[in-house]
Amino acid sequence: MGIVIAVITVLNWSAMPVVQRMVGLFFLALVFHLWEEGKYPGGFTEMITKTLNFTARNRHFGEIVTASYALIIILFPLFFPNVVWLSMAPMMLGILEVVAHLAAIKMFKLKRFYSPGLVTSVVLMLPISIYTIVYVVQNNLMQPISWLYAFGFILISIMTAQQIVVRMSGMKYADFLKNVRGTIFAKRK
Protein backbone atom coordinates (compact mmCIF):
# COMPACT_ATOMS: atom_id res chain seq x y z
CA MET A 1 0.00 0.00 0.00
CA GLY A 2 2.91 2.35 0.75
CA ILE A 3 4.21 1.95 -2.79
CA VAL A 4 0.77 2.69 -4.24
CA ILE A 5 0.42 5.88 -2.17
CA ALA A 6 3.98 6.91 -3.12
CA VAL A 7 3.32 6.39 -6.83
CA ILE A 8 0.00 8.28 -6.66
CA THR A 9 1.66 11.13 -4.78
CA VAL A 10 4.60 11.38 -7.21
CA LEU A 11 2.48 11.10 -10.37
CA ASN A 12 -0.04 13.69 -9.18
CA TRP A 13 2.36 15.97 -7.27
CA SER A 14 1.82 19.11 -9.36
CA ALA A 15 -1.97 18.69 -9.39
CA MET A 16 -2.30 18.03 -5.66
CA PRO A 17 -2.89 20.79 -3.12
CA VAL A 18 0.12 21.33 -0.84
CA VAL A 19 -1.61 19.81 2.20
CA GLN A 20 -2.52 16.67 0.24
CA ARG A 21 1.10 16.33 -0.92
CA MET A 22 2.26 16.51 2.68
CA VAL A 23 -0.23 13.79 3.66
CA GLY A 24 1.27 11.58 0.94
CA LEU A 25 4.77 12.26 2.27
CA PHE A 26 3.60 11.68 5.82
CA PHE A 27 2.25 8.27 4.84
CA LEU A 28 5.69 7.29 3.57
CA ALA A 29 7.26 8.58 6.79
CA LEU A 30 4.72 6.55 8.77
CA VAL A 31 5.63 3.38 6.85
CA PHE A 32 9.31 3.91 7.73
CA HIS A 33 8.30 4.72 11.31
CA LEU A 34 6.33 1.49 11.73
CA TRP A 35 9.26 -0.40 10.22
CA GLU A 36 11.67 1.19 12.74
CA GLU A 37 9.34 0.35 15.64
CA GLY A 38 8.67 -3.21 14.60
CA LYS A 39 11.51 -4.48 12.42
CA TYR A 40 14.73 -2.47 12.51
CA PRO A 41 15.78 -2.23 15.20
CA GLY A 42 12.30 -3.16 16.39
CA GLY A 43 11.32 -4.03 19.91
CA PHE A 44 8.71 -1.36 20.55
CA THR A 45 5.84 -3.84 20.98
CA GLU A 46 7.93 -6.06 23.24
CA MET A 47 8.90 -3.05 25.35
CA ILE A 48 5.24 -2.12 25.83
CA THR A 49 4.00 -5.61 26.60
CA LYS A 50 6.79 -6.31 29.09
CA THR A 51 6.62 -3.04 31.01
CA LEU A 52 2.86 -2.60 31.03
CA ASN A 53 2.09 -6.23 31.95
CA PHE A 54 0.16 -6.52 28.73
CA THR A 55 0.33 -9.74 26.76
CA ALA A 56 -0.75 -9.65 23.16
CA ARG A 57 -2.33 -12.96 22.23
CA ASN A 58 -1.29 -12.39 18.64
CA ARG A 59 1.41 -9.83 17.87
CA HIS A 60 0.29 -9.66 14.26
CA PHE A 61 -3.21 -8.63 15.31
CA GLY A 62 -1.77 -5.46 16.86
CA GLU A 63 0.22 -4.81 13.70
CA ILE A 64 -2.94 -5.22 11.60
CA VAL A 65 -4.87 -2.79 13.80
CA THR A 66 -1.99 -0.29 13.68
CA ALA A 67 -1.77 -0.56 9.88
CA SER A 68 -5.56 -0.14 9.61
CA TYR A 69 -5.41 2.90 11.88
CA ALA A 70 -2.64 4.39 9.74
CA LEU A 71 -4.63 3.81 6.58
CA ILE A 72 -7.74 5.46 8.03
CA ILE A 73 -6.01 8.62 9.18
CA ILE A 74 -4.08 8.89 5.88
CA LEU A 75 -6.59 7.74 3.27
CA PHE A 76 -9.42 10.01 4.39
CA PRO A 77 -7.37 13.19 3.87
CA LEU A 78 -5.94 11.86 0.60
CA PHE A 79 -9.42 11.27 -0.81
CA PHE A 80 -10.96 14.40 0.73
CA PRO A 81 -8.23 17.04 0.31
CA ASN A 82 -10.66 19.95 0.72
CA VAL A 83 -11.51 18.83 4.25
CA VAL A 84 -8.30 20.22 5.71
CA TRP A 85 -8.99 19.20 9.31
CA LEU A 86 -8.74 15.55 8.23
CA SER A 87 -5.17 16.30 7.09
CA MET A 88 -4.28 17.86 10.41
CA ALA A 89 -4.99 14.65 12.31
CA PRO A 90 -1.93 12.82 10.91
CA MET A 91 0.13 15.97 11.37
CA MET A 92 -0.85 16.06 15.04
CA LEU A 93 0.13 12.39 15.20
CA GLY A 94 3.57 13.36 13.85
CA ILE A 95 4.10 15.67 16.82
CA LEU A 96 2.54 13.22 19.28
CA GLU A 97 4.89 10.45 18.09
CA VAL A 98 7.95 12.50 19.06
CA VAL A 99 6.50 13.22 22.50
CA ALA A 100 5.52 9.56 22.96
CA HIS A 101 8.93 8.21 21.97
CA LEU A 102 10.75 10.68 24.21
CA ALA A 103 8.39 9.78 27.05
CA ALA A 104 9.03 6.09 26.36
CA ILE A 105 12.69 6.60 27.20
CA LYS A 106 11.77 7.64 30.75
CA MET A 107 8.70 5.44 31.06
CA PHE A 108 10.51 2.24 30.10
CA LYS A 109 13.73 3.28 31.90
CA LEU A 110 15.81 2.84 28.75
CA LYS A 111 19.57 3.01 29.15
CA ARG A 112 20.09 4.87 25.87
CA PHE A 113 18.40 8.07 24.73
CA TYR A 114 16.45 6.10 22.15
CA SER A 115 13.22 4.16 21.82
CA PRO A 116 12.34 2.23 18.65
CA GLY A 117 10.62 4.74 16.36
CA LEU A 118 12.29 7.87 17.74
CA VAL A 119 14.57 8.54 14.75
CA THR A 120 11.83 8.45 12.12
CA SER A 121 9.46 10.44 14.30
CA VAL A 122 12.05 13.22 14.75
CA VAL A 123 13.71 13.17 11.32
CA LEU A 124 10.70 12.44 9.08
CA MET A 125 7.34 12.88 10.78
CA LEU A 126 8.03 16.01 12.83
CA PRO A 127 9.36 18.19 9.97
CA ILE A 128 6.46 17.22 7.69
CA SER A 129 3.98 17.91 10.49
CA ILE A 130 5.46 21.28 11.42
CA TYR A 131 5.69 22.42 7.80
CA THR A 132 2.08 21.41 7.11
CA ILE A 133 0.67 22.99 10.26
CA VAL A 134 2.57 26.23 9.61
CA TYR A 135 1.37 26.22 6.00
CA VAL A 136 -2.26 25.73 7.08
CA VAL A 137 -2.02 28.50 9.70
CA GLN A 138 -0.23 30.97 7.40
CA ASN A 139 -2.76 30.40 4.64
CA ASN A 140 -5.72 30.49 7.04
CA LEU A 141 -7.06 27.18 5.76
CA MET A 142 -8.87 26.20 8.96
CA GLN A 143 -11.24 27.83 11.38
CA PRO A 144 -10.67 27.30 15.14
CA ILE A 145 -13.46 24.71 15.38
CA SER A 146 -11.73 22.66 12.68
CA TRP A 147 -8.68 22.26 14.92
CA LEU A 148 -11.00 20.74 17.51
CA TYR A 149 -12.36 18.33 14.88
CA ALA A 150 -8.81 17.29 13.96
CA PHE A 151 -7.87 16.77 17.61
CA GLY A 152 -11.06 14.82 18.27
CA PHE A 153 -10.48 12.65 15.21
CA ILE A 154 -6.92 11.74 16.23
CA LEU A 155 -7.89 11.18 19.87
CA ILE A 156 -10.88 8.97 19.09
CA SER A 157 -9.01 6.97 16.45
CA ILE A 158 -5.99 6.35 18.74
CA MET A 159 -8.17 5.32 21.67
CA THR A 160 -10.30 3.06 19.45
CA ALA A 161 -7.25 1.31 17.99
CA GLN A 162 -5.74 0.87 21.48
CA GLN A 163 -8.98 -0.49 22.88
CA ILE A 164 -9.35 -3.01 20.07
CA VAL A 165 -5.84 -4.38 20.62
CA VAL A 166 -6.05 -4.36 24.42
CA ARG A 167 -9.52 -5.89 24.68
CA MET A 168 -8.86 -8.54 22.04
CA SER A 169 -5.86 -9.56 24.12
CA GLY A 170 -8.09 -10.21 27.12
CA MET A 171 -7.26 -7.14 29.20
CA LYS A 172 -9.68 -4.47 30.33
CA TYR A 173 -8.84 -1.08 28.82
CA ALA A 174 -9.16 0.58 32.25
CA ASP A 175 -6.51 -1.84 33.61
CA PHE A 176 -4.24 -1.05 30.67
CA LEU A 177 -4.56 2.70 31.34
CA LYS A 178 -3.90 2.08 35.05
CA ASN A 179 -0.68 0.25 34.12
CA VAL A 180 0.33 3.11 31.84
CA ARG A 181 -0.25 5.69 34.60
CA GLY A 182 1.62 3.53 37.11
CA THR A 183 4.58 3.19 34.77
CA ILE A 184 4.68 6.91 33.96
CA PHE A 185 4.55 7.98 37.59
CA ALA A 186 6.71 5.19 39.01
CA LYS A 187 9.78 6.35 40.86
CA ARG A 188 13.12 5.58 39.26
CA LYS A 189 15.21 3.07 41.12
Side-chain angles (χ1 to χ4, degrees):
M1 182 57 97
I3 293 171
V4 172
I5 300 290
V7 169
I8 290 170
T9 302
V10 169
L11 292 178
N12 296 299
W13 187 264
S14 60
M16 295 172 104
V18 171
V19 175
Q20 191 179 26
R21 292 179 200 162
M22 295 301 104
V23 171
L25 288 177
F26 189 86
F27 183 77
L28 293 174
L30 188 57
V31 168
F32 285 116
H33 179 70
L34 294 173
W35 183 69
E36 180 189 4
E37 282 184 340
K39 304 293 181 210
Y40 185 79
F44 193 77
T45 302
E46 293 80 4
M47 192 171 59
I48 290 172
T49 57
K50 178 183 173 191
T51 308
L52 298 179
N53 299 318
F54 167 73
T55 305
R57 288 184 183 160
N58 181 343
R59 175 192 166 127
H60 298 295
F61 179 76
E63 292 170 354
I64 290 167
V65 171
T66 301
S68 300
Y69 163 74
L71 285 174
I72 289 169
I73 69 162
I74 297 295
L75 289 181
F76 281 164
L78 278 175
F79 289 121
F80 301 103
N82 295 327
V83 184
V84 179
W85 67 264
L86 285 173
S87 299
M88 289 301 98
M91 301 309 149
M92 290 177 179
L93 177 66
I95 293 169
L96 180 63
E97 284 291 338
V98 174
V99 172
H101 284 284
L102 289 173
I105 294 168
K106 177 186 183 296
M107 188 170 152
F108 300 120
K109 299 175 178 83
L110 302 177
K111 292 175 177 50
R112 297 180 295 156
F113 192 75
Y114 173 78
S115 67
L118 179 64
V119 172
T120 50
S121 65
V122 171
V123 173
L124 299 176
M125 298 169 82
L126 184 63
I128 294 168
S129 296
I130 290 172
Y131 175 84
T132 307
I133 291 169
V134 168
Y135 180 85
V136 166
V137 169
Q138 286 179 343
N139 290 282
N140 199 26
L141 298 180
M142 284 179 41
Q143 298 300 316
I145 191 73
S146 297
W147 290 101
L148 240 111
Y149 294 155
F151 180 75
F153 180 54
I154 193 72
L155 182 67
I156 290 168
S157 59
I158 285 173
M159 289 181 70
T160 301
Q162 276 184 346
Q163 284 195 41
I164 290 169
V165 172
V166 170
R167 289 180 181 189
M168 291 303 290
S169 296
M171 185 179 214
K172 291 180 182 175
Y173 191 63
D175 292 340
F176 173 77
L177 292 177
K178 187 169 73 174
N179 290 350
V180 170
R181 274 191 300 276
T183 302
I184 290 172
F185 298 114
K187 295 187 184 204
R188 285 192 169 265
K189 292 179 181 176

